[in-house]
PDB file of all heavy atoms in Angstrom:
ATOM      1  N   ALA A 689      10.766  -2.874  14.611  1.00 99.00           N
ATOM      2  CA  ALA A 689      10.227  -3.918  15.570  1.00 99.00           C
ATOM      3  C   ALA A 689      10.477  -5.224  14.853  1.00 99.00           C
ATOM      4  O   ALA A 689      10.309  -5.335  13.679  1.00 99.00           O
ATOM      5  CB  ALA A 689       8.620  -3.549  15.723  1.00 99.00           C
ATOM      6  N   VAL A 690      10.748  -6.149  15.624  1.00 99.00           N
ATOM      7  CA  VAL A 690      11.160  -7.559  15.078  1.00 99.00           C
ATOM      8  C   VAL A 690      10.453  -8.759  15.834  1.00 99.00           C
ATOM      9  O   VAL A 690      10.420  -8.511  17.070  1.00 99.00           O
ATOM     10  CB  VAL A 690      12.698  -7.707  14.984  1.00 99.00           C
ATOM     11  CG1 VAL A 690      13.075  -9.008  14.243  1.00 99.00           C
ATOM     12  CG2 VAL A 690      13.447  -6.504  14.650  1.00 99.00           C
ATOM     13  N   ILE A 691      10.052  -9.711  15.048  1.00 99.00           N
ATOM     14  CA  ILE A 691       9.612 -10.925  15.837  1.00 99.00           C
ATOM     15  C   ILE A 691      10.125 -12.128  14.911  1.00 99.00           C
ATOM     16  O   ILE A 691      10.001 -12.092  13.701  1.00 99.00           O
ATOM     17  CB  ILE A 691       8.108 -11.136  15.924  1.00 99.00           C
ATOM     18  CG1 ILE A 691       7.406  -9.779  16.332  1.00 99.00           C
ATOM     19  CG2 ILE A 691       7.727 -12.169  16.881  1.00 99.00           C
ATOM     20  CD1 ILE A 691       5.850  -9.927  16.395  1.00 99.00           C
ATOM     21  N   ASP A 692      10.929 -13.004  15.583  1.00 98.00           N
ATOM     22  CA  ASP A 692      11.416 -14.116  14.848  1.00 98.00           C
ATOM     23  C   ASP A 692      10.475 -15.349  14.931  1.00 98.00           C
ATOM     24  O   ASP A 692       9.739 -15.409  15.826  1.00 98.00           O
ATOM     25  CB  ASP A 692      12.814 -14.590  15.447  1.00 98.00           C
ATOM     26  CG  ASP A 692      13.780 -13.417  15.282  1.00 98.00           C
ATOM     27  OD1 ASP A 692      13.846 -12.830  14.195  1.00 98.00           O
ATOM     28  OD2 ASP A 692      14.635 -13.321  16.288  1.00 98.00           O
ATOM     29  N   TRP A 693      10.610 -16.142  13.833  1.00 99.00           N
ATOM     30  CA  TRP A 693       9.797 -17.331  13.891  1.00 99.00           C
ATOM     31  C   TRP A 693      10.789 -18.567  13.473  1.00 99.00           C
ATOM     32  O   TRP A 693      11.564 -18.412  12.623  1.00 99.00           O
ATOM     33  CB  TRP A 693       8.744 -17.289  12.852  1.00 99.00           C
ATOM     34  CG  TRP A 693       7.852 -18.470  12.787  1.00 99.00           C
ATOM     35  CD1 TRP A 693       6.644 -18.836  13.441  1.00 99.00           C
ATOM     36  CD2 TRP A 693       8.004 -19.611  11.898  1.00 99.00           C
ATOM     37  NE1 TRP A 693       6.137 -20.025  13.022  1.00 99.00           N
ATOM     38  CE2 TRP A 693       7.048 -20.553  12.044  1.00 99.00           C
ATOM     39  CE3 TRP A 693       8.940 -19.952  10.774  1.00 99.00           C
ATOM     40  CZ2 TRP A 693       6.748 -21.712  11.322  1.00 99.00           C
ATOM     41  CZ3 TRP A 693       8.816 -21.156  10.024  1.00 99.00           C
ATOM     42  CH2 TRP A 693       7.711 -21.969  10.347  1.00 99.00           C
ATOM     43  N   TRP A 699       6.521 -18.105  16.970  1.00 98.00           N
ATOM     44  CA  TRP A 699       6.882 -16.803  17.011  1.00 98.00           C
ATOM     45  C   TRP A 699       7.535 -16.498  18.367  1.00 98.00           C
ATOM     46  O   TRP A 699       6.998 -16.827  19.487  1.00 98.00           O
ATOM     47  CB  TRP A 699       5.664 -15.893  16.765  1.00 98.00           C
ATOM     48  CG  TRP A 699       5.108 -15.960  15.476  1.00 98.00           C
ATOM     49  CD1 TRP A 699       3.994 -16.572  15.073  1.00 98.00           C
ATOM     50  CD2 TRP A 699       5.747 -15.316  14.245  1.00 98.00           C
ATOM     51  NE1 TRP A 699       3.803 -16.482  13.666  1.00 98.00           N
ATOM     52  CE2 TRP A 699       4.951 -15.749  13.190  1.00 98.00           C
ATOM     53  CE3 TRP A 699       6.890 -14.543  14.072  1.00 98.00           C
ATOM     54  CZ2 TRP A 699       5.236 -15.224  11.880  1.00 98.00           C
ATOM     55  CZ3 TRP A 699       7.149 -14.130  12.783  1.00 98.00           C
ATOM     56  CH2 TRP A 699       6.460 -14.508  11.636  1.00 98.00           C
ATOM     57  N   ILE A 751      -1.711  -9.769   5.384  1.00 99.00           N
ATOM     58  CA  ILE A 751      -0.242 -10.289   5.312  1.00 99.00           C
ATOM     59  C   ILE A 751      -0.350 -11.840   5.584  1.00 99.00           C
ATOM     60  O   ILE A 751       0.373 -12.608   4.973  1.00 99.00           O
ATOM     61  CB  ILE A 751       0.690  -9.625   6.319  1.00 99.00           C
ATOM     62  CG1 ILE A 751       2.059  -9.759   5.896  1.00 99.00           C
ATOM     63  CG2 ILE A 751       0.432 -10.091   7.781  1.00 99.00           C
ATOM     64  CD1 ILE A 751       3.173  -8.999   6.652  1.00 99.00           C
ATOM     65  N   LEU A 763       1.067 -14.755  11.218  1.00 99.00           N
ATOM     66  CA  LEU A 763       1.422 -13.926  12.540  1.00 99.00           C
ATOM     67  C   LEU A 763       0.079 -13.623  13.091  1.00 99.00           C
ATOM     68  O   LEU A 763      -0.741 -12.887  12.382  1.00 99.00           O
ATOM     69  CB  LEU A 763       2.262 -12.839  12.189  1.00 99.00           C
ATOM     70  CG  LEU A 763       2.528 -11.870  13.398  1.00 99.00           C
ATOM     71  CD1 LEU A 763       3.442 -12.465  14.391  1.00 99.00           C
ATOM     72  CD2 LEU A 763       3.202 -10.645  12.782  1.00 99.00           C
ATOM     73  N   HIS A 767      -0.453  -9.605  17.181  1.00 98.00           N
ATOM     74  CA  HIS A 767       0.989  -9.465  17.325  1.00 98.00           C
ATOM     75  C   HIS A 767       1.382  -8.383  16.267  1.00 98.00           C
ATOM     76  O   HIS A 767       2.264  -7.636  16.449  1.00 98.00           O
ATOM     77  CB  HIS A 767       1.694 -10.680  17.195  1.00 98.00           C
ATOM     78  CG  HIS A 767       1.493 -11.726  18.234  1.00 98.00           C
ATOM     79  ND1 HIS A 767       0.943 -11.422  19.503  1.00 98.00           N
ATOM     80  CD2 HIS A 767       1.660 -13.001  18.375  1.00 98.00           C
ATOM     81  CE1 HIS A 767       0.805 -12.453  20.181  1.00 98.00           C
ATOM     82  NE2 HIS A 767       1.287 -13.456  19.518  1.00 98.00           N
ATOM     83  N   PHE A 768       0.802  -8.580  15.101  1.00 98.00           N
ATOM     84  CA  PHE A 768       1.018  -7.605  14.025  1.00 98.00           C
ATOM     85  C   PHE A 768       0.732  -6.137  14.420  1.00 98.00           C
ATOM     86  O   PHE A 768       1.662  -5.206  14.363  1.00 98.00           O
ATOM     87  CB  PHE A 768       0.184  -8.028  12.801  1.00 98.00           C
ATOM     88  CG  PHE A 768       0.271  -7.089  11.643  1.00 98.00           C
ATOM     89  CD1 PHE A 768       1.052  -7.365  10.557  1.00 98.00           C
ATOM     90  CD2 PHE A 768      -0.505  -5.858  11.531  1.00 98.00           C
ATOM     91  CE1 PHE A 768       1.156  -6.485   9.369  1.00 98.00           C
ATOM     92  CE2 PHE A 768      -0.486  -5.055  10.402  1.00 98.00           C
ATOM     93  CZ  PHE A 768       0.368  -5.358   9.441  1.00 98.00           C
ATOM     94  N   ALA A 771       3.249  -4.926  17.184  1.00 98.00           N
ATOM     95  CA  ALA A 771       4.488  -4.527  16.571  1.00 98.00           C
ATOM     96  C   ALA A 771       4.478  -3.170  16.091  1.00 98.00           C
ATOM     97  O   ALA A 771       5.417  -2.337  16.250  1.00 98.00           O
ATOM     98  CB  ALA A 771       4.997  -5.557  15.545  1.00 98.00           C
ATOM     99  N   VAL A 772       3.363  -2.823  15.367  1.00 98.00           N
ATOM    100  CA  VAL A 772       3.295  -1.497  14.757  1.00 98.00           C
ATOM    101  C   VAL A 772       3.188  -0.514  15.933  1.00 98.00           C
ATOM    102  O   VAL A 772       3.870   0.566  15.853  1.00 98.00           O
ATOM    103  CB  VAL A 772       2.011  -1.480  13.968  1.00 98.00           C
ATOM    104  CG1 VAL A 772       1.614  -0.001  13.697  1.00 98.00           C
ATOM    105  CG2 VAL A 772       2.198  -2.257  12.590  1.00 98.00           C
ATOM    106  N   PRO A 795       5.517  -3.188   7.291  1.00 99.00           N
ATOM    107  CA  PRO A 795       5.772  -4.504   7.900  1.00 99.00           C
ATOM    108  C   PRO A 795       6.218  -5.507   6.852  1.00 99.00           C
ATOM    109  O   PRO A 795       5.671  -5.334   5.633  1.00 99.00           O
ATOM    110  CB  PRO A 795       4.423  -4.967   8.511  1.00 99.00           C
ATOM    111  CG  PRO A 795       3.501  -3.643   8.457  1.00 99.00           C
ATOM    112  CD  PRO A 795       4.094  -2.893   7.344  1.00 99.00           C
ATOM    113  N   PHE A 796       7.019  -6.380   7.091  1.00 99.00           N
ATOM    114  CA  PHE A 796       7.531  -7.353   6.088  1.00 99.00           C
ATOM    115  C   PHE A 796       7.954  -8.657   6.677  1.00 99.00           C
ATOM    116  O   PHE A 796       8.432  -8.643   7.921  1.00 99.00           O
ATOM    117  CB  PHE A 796       8.406  -6.823   5.091  1.00 99.00           C
ATOM    118  CG  PHE A 796       9.748  -6.395   5.625  1.00 99.00           C
ATOM    119  CD1 PHE A 796      10.836  -7.273   5.461  1.00 99.00           C
ATOM    120  CD2 PHE A 796       9.870  -5.245   6.413  1.00 99.00           C
ATOM    121  CE1 PHE A 796      12.149  -6.912   5.985  1.00 99.00           C
ATOM    122  CE2 PHE A 796      11.140  -4.870   6.942  1.00 99.00           C
ATOM    123  CZ  PHE A 796      12.296  -5.645   6.674  1.00 99.00           C
ATOM    124  N   MET A 797       7.821  -9.708   6.023  1.00 99.00           N
ATOM    125  CA  MET A 797       8.239 -11.047   6.503  1.00 99.00           C
ATOM    126  C   MET A 797       9.187 -11.689   5.489  1.00 99.00           C
ATOM    127  O   MET A 797       8.828 -11.775   4.397  1.00 99.00           O
ATOM    128  CB  MET A 797       6.988 -11.893   6.678  1.00 99.00           C
ATOM    129  CG  MET A 797       7.091 -13.024   7.653  1.00 99.00           C
ATOM    130  SD  MET A 797       5.593 -14.004   7.604  1.00 99.00           S
ATOM    131  CE  MET A 797       4.407 -13.157   8.435  1.00 99.00           C
ATOM    132  N   ILE A 798      10.352 -12.108   5.964  1.00 98.00           N
ATOM    133  CA  ILE A 798      11.369 -12.708   5.105  1.00 98.00           C
ATOM    134  C   ILE A 798      11.768 -14.150   5.597  1.00 98.00           C
ATOM    135  O   ILE A 798      11.833 -14.377   6.784  1.00 98.00           O
ATOM    136  CB  ILE A 798      12.607 -11.807   4.956  1.00 98.00           C
ATOM    137  CG1 ILE A 798      13.177 -11.412   6.135  1.00 98.00           C
ATOM    138  CG2 ILE A 798      12.291 -10.485   4.182  1.00 98.00           C
ATOM    139  CD1 ILE A 798      14.579 -10.771   6.186  1.00 98.00           C
ATOM    140  N   VAL A 812      12.161 -17.696   9.878  1.00 98.00           N
ATOM    141  CA  VAL A 812      11.615 -16.455   9.275  1.00 98.00           C
ATOM    142  C   VAL A 812      11.669 -15.277  10.276  1.00 98.00           C
ATOM    143  O   VAL A 812      11.795 -15.487  11.427  1.00 98.00           O
ATOM    144  CB  VAL A 812      10.080 -16.803   8.966  1.00 98.00           C
ATOM    145  CG1 VAL A 812       9.160 -15.591   8.633  1.00 98.00           C
ATOM    146  CG2 VAL A 812       9.921 -17.794   7.853  1.00 98.00           C
ATOM    147  N   SER A 813      11.765 -14.130   9.692  1.00 98.00           N
ATOM    148  CA  SER A 813      11.754 -12.918  10.492  1.00 98.00           C
ATOM    149  C   SER A 813      10.628 -12.079  10.046  1.00 98.00           C
ATOM    150  O   SER A 813      10.487 -11.804   8.808  1.00 98.00           O
ATOM    151  CB  SER A 813      13.148 -12.294  10.349  1.00 98.00           C
ATOM    152  OG  SER A 813      13.190 -11.140  11.127  1.00 98.00           O
ATOM    153  N   PHE A 814      10.007 -11.351  10.930  1.00 99.00           N
ATOM    154  CA  PHE A 814       8.940 -10.389  10.639  1.00 99.00           C
ATOM    155  C   PHE A 814       9.433  -9.029  11.193  1.00 99.00           C
ATOM    156  O   PHE A 814      10.019  -9.064  12.321  1.00 99.00           O
ATOM    157  CB  PHE A 814       7.636 -10.746  11.398  1.00 99.00           C
ATOM    158  CG  PHE A 814       6.567  -9.551  11.415  1.00 99.00           C
ATOM    159  CD1 PHE A 814       5.855  -9.301  10.279  1.00 99.00           C
ATOM    160  CD2 PHE A 814       6.470  -8.798  12.457  1.00 99.00           C
ATOM    161  CE1 PHE A 814       5.046  -8.267  10.198  1.00 99.00           C
ATOM    162  CE2 PHE A 814       5.427  -7.694  12.419  1.00 99.00           C
ATOM    163  CZ  PHE A 814       4.726  -7.541  11.368  1.00 99.00           C
ATOM    164  N   ARG A 815       9.352  -8.055  10.486  1.00 98.00           N
ATOM    165  CA  ARG A 815       9.930  -6.785  10.813  1.00 98.00           C
ATOM    166  C   ARG A 815       8.976  -5.660  10.449  1.00 98.00           C
ATOM    167  O   ARG A 815       8.192  -5.782   9.471  1.00 98.00           O
ATOM    168  CB  ARG A 815      11.228  -6.510  10.236  1.00 98.00           C
ATOM    169  CG  ARG A 815      12.343  -7.275  10.733  1.00 98.00           C
ATOM    170  CD  ARG A 815      13.626  -7.240   9.915  1.00 98.00           C
ATOM    171  NE  ARG A 815      14.730  -7.972  10.639  1.00 98.00           N
ATOM    172  CZ  ARG A 815      15.602  -7.480  11.526  1.00 98.00           C
ATOM    173  NH1 ARG A 815      15.594  -6.195  11.753  1.00 98.00           N
ATOM    174  NH2 ARG A 815      16.448  -8.206  11.998  1.00 98.00           N
ATOM    175  N   VAL A 816       9.002  -4.543  11.180  1.00 99.00           N
ATOM    176  CA  VAL A 816       8.315  -3.240  10.815  1.00 99.00           C
ATOM    177  C   VAL A 816       9.269  -2.266  10.799  1.00 99.00           C
ATOM    178  O   VAL A 816      10.120  -1.989  11.706  1.00 99.00           O
ATOM    179  CB  VAL A 816       7.143  -2.954  11.765  1.00 99.00           C
ATOM    180  CG1 VAL A 816       6.348  -1.782  11.178  1.00 99.00           C
ATOM    181  CG2 VAL A 816       6.275  -4.123  12.103  1.00 99.00           C
TER     182      VAL A 816
END
Side-chain angles (χ1 to χ4, degrees):
V690 190
I691 316 176
D692 294 323
W693 178 88
W699 292 105
I751 203 171
L763 175 67
H767 297 343
F768 175 94
V772 164
F796 62 105
M797 203 189 283
I798 54 174
V812 166
S813 180
F814 169 78
R815 290 174 175 262
V816 189

